[in-house]
Amino acid sequence: MVIKAILWDIDDTIFDYRGADLAGMRDHLHAEGLLDGESSAEQALGRWQEVTARHWARFSAGEVDFLGQRRDRVRTFTGLALSDADADAWFGRYVVHYEAAWSLFPDTVPVLDALAGYRHAVLSNSALSVQDHKLRTLGVRDRFEAVVCAADLGIAKPAAEAFHTACAAVGLPPQEVLYVGDEPDIDARGAGEAGLTGVWLDRAERGGRPELIRITGLDQLPGLLAGDTRFGAPSTIG
């Protein structure tokens, strides 16, 4: 079937989440007086990423709600038994620095322009309040018909129900929808198992996973949609 719509992941797909997170946390920790030098800064930033991954996995598994994982990240990272209010305040001070570092990847807007003939929507494992604000701040919210988020659904990628809900939001069957995201299993494999065409955006060029359709930059997506199969697994796009 012909692809009529593209579903997009946001973080580390169209938005440089990792870069903003690292820059924001570095500035936040300096402002909090928690760093002594560059080596300790790098260690702290690495630990923040590890703590984030650990508690996000708990959220994705349904063990904790969205605010709960955020507060637990702060408590684990600081080693303090903070109240909910104090954890929220600490995270809020970090967000000021994090948002100051927000940026789209350079290939995002050119590719959205190049694919203007397709319908576009978002499926994210974050919360709608977070992602809607992000897209509006970055000036691209009007590019997407719908923004569907796991924290509000109660169902996260790679569950098929998450992908099917996003397809229903644009009124199309999964076979007419392509999903692109930066995680090979959560995004590309999950989308494929749900009946969509899944595309793995491998910006870091990790390689492997020959069973997946893989691109290393969004600028390759128009060629892939045109039937170009240079990027790995044979294209199933009509």
Side-chain angles (χ1 to χ4, degrees), residues 185-205:
D185 291 313
I186 292 173
D187 293 325
R189 181 183 59 79
E193 291 181 351
L196 294 75
T197 297
V199 176
W200 174 29
L201 174 61
D202 181 18
R203 288 190 184 275
E205 299 193 36

Side-chain angles (χ1 to χ4, degrees), residues 15-16 19-24 27 95-104:
F15 162 68
D16 187 4
D21 189 36
L22 292 176
D27 290 345
V95 165
V96 172
H97 299 286
Y98 166 58
E99 291 195 7
W102 280 3
S103 66
L104 296 168

Side-chain angles (χ1 to χ4, degrees), residues 12 68 83 110 134 162 229:
D12 287 325
S83 68
K134 184 182 294 174
T229 60

Side-chain angles (χ1 to χ4, degrees), residues 81-94:
L82 299 172
S83 68
D84 286 353
D86 286 342
D88 290 343
W90 191 97
F91 193 86
R93 294 192 298 274
Y94 152 69

Side-chain angles (χ1 to χ4, degrees), residues 134-155:
K134 184 182 294 174
L135 293 171
R136 292 183 188 280
T137 300
L138 293 167
V140 292
R141 175 60 184 86
D142 61 349
R143 301 280 191 142
F144 305 101
E145 294 181 26
V147 178
V148 178
C149 292
D152 304 274
L153 281 179
I155 306 167

Side-chain angles (χ1 to χ4, degrees), residues 58-236:
R58 294 175 57 234
F59 165 68
S60 296
E63 297 173 10
V64 64
D65 64 16
F66 185 77
L67 282 177
Q69 64 81 26
R70 177 184 286 178
R71 291 162 178 162
D72 287 346
R73 284 161 61 193
V74 173
R75 293 181 182 116
T76 301
F77 182 76
T78 62
L80 301 174
L82 299 172
S83 68
D84 286 353
D86 286 342
D88 290 343
W90 191 97
F91 193 86
R93 294 192 298 274
Y94 152 69
V95 165
V96 172
H97 299 286
Y98 166 58
E99 291 195 7
W102 280 3
S103 66
L104 296 168
F105 284 107
D107 54 6
T108 296
V109 170
V111 168
L112 287 171
D113 287 343
L115 298 176
Y118 294 87
R119 299 170 64 189
H120 299 272
V122 162
L123 173 60
S124 167
N125 267 0
S126 186
L128 179 60
S129 60
V130 172
Q131 300 296 49
D132 187 79
H133 170 61
K134 184 182 294 174
L135 293 171
R136 292 183 188 280
T137 300
L138 293 167
V140 292
R141 175 60 184 86
D142 61 349
R143 301 280 191 142
F144 305 101
E145 294 181 26
V147 178
V148 178
C149 292
D152 304 274
L153 281 179
I155 306 167
K157 300 176 296 181
E161 294 88 343
F163 291 100
H164 293 165
T165 299
C167 290
V170 293
L172 292 172
Q175 295 84 358
E176 296 182 356
V177 180
L178 178 145
Y179 189 84
V180 58
D182 67 293
E183 293 290 343
D185 291 313
I186 292 173
D187 293 325
R189 181 183 59 79
E193 291 181 351
L196 294 75
T197 297
V199 176
W200 174 29
L201 174 61
D202 181 18
R203 288 190 184 275
E205 299 193 36
R206 289 173 282 176
R209 308 302 298 271
E211 77 280 12
L212 300 177
I213 300 174
R214 171 179 168 266
I215 58 176
T216 57
L218 290 180
D219 59 328
Q220 297 166 0
L221 194 56
L224 183 62
L225 280 160
D228 193 328
T229 60
R230 291 176 297 163
F231 309 115
S235 173
T236 59

